[in-house]
């Protein structure tokens, strides 16, 4: 039996998402790293045999379904979700509907 987990990380193209992905890979886990730009994610994290990079715009339900499908096809399961991506509407809180 293995302690290897499959991590699904949103917003893995920069910031904390990159660090989560690198830490999980460094610990021997498999990672599905997602972002709006596959190229950006690959550039930020690099290449690894336990890494799957998938396009995911969290505001698009079709992207979400396809990203999960790709993860299941490659790894067969998802053990850990790091819901790191965000959607930001700029403005003062009192002025945002």
């Amino acid at each position: 039996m293995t302690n290897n987990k499959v991590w699904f990380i949103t917003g893995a193209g920069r910031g904390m998402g990159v660090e989560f992905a690198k830490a999980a890979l460094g610990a021997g886990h498999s990672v599905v790293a997602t972002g709006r730009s596959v190229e950006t994610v690959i550039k930020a994290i690099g290449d690894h045999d336990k890494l799957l990079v998938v396009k995911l715009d969290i505001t698009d339900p079709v992207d979400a379904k396809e990203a999960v499908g790709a993860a299941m096809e490659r790894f067969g399961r998802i053990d850990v979700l790091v819901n790191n991506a965000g959607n930001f509407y700029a403005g003062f809180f009192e002025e945002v509907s």
Side-chain angles (χ1 to χ4, degrees), residues 66-91:
E66 289 176 358
V68 169
M72 296 302 291
E73 184 175 323
R74 169 81 180 270
F75 297 115
R77 68 185 198 279
I78 297 170
D79 300 305
V80 179
L81 169 64
V82 180
N83 194 16
N84 175 66
N87 188 19
F88 178 68
Y89 296 102

Side-chain angles (χ1 to χ4, degrees), residues 32-88:
V32 180
T34 71
R36 289 178 294 188
S37 166
V38 169
E39 294 79 18
T40 299
V41 176
I42 292 169
K43 184 176 178 182
I45 298 172
D47 189 33
H48 197 285
D49 61 331
K50 291 186 174 187
L51 174 66
L52 173 65
V53 178
V54 180
K55 179 189 176 298
L56 172 57
D57 177 340
I58 62 163
T59 66
D60 184 347
V62 173
D63 269 9
K65 186 173 183 174
E66 289 176 358
V68 169
M72 296 302 291
E73 184 175 323
R74 169 81 180 270
F75 297 115
R77 68 185 198 279
I78 297 170
D79 300 305
V80 179
L81 169 64
V82 180
N83 194 16
N84 175 66
N87 188 19
F88 178 68

Side-chain angles (χ1 to χ4, degrees), residues 4-8 24-25 28-32 50-52 75:
N4 178 46
K5 302 288 185 191
V6 178
W7 291 56
F8 189 100
L25 289 167
H29 299 289
S30 300
V31 172
V32 180
K50 291 186 174 187
L51 174 66
L52 173 65
F75 297 115

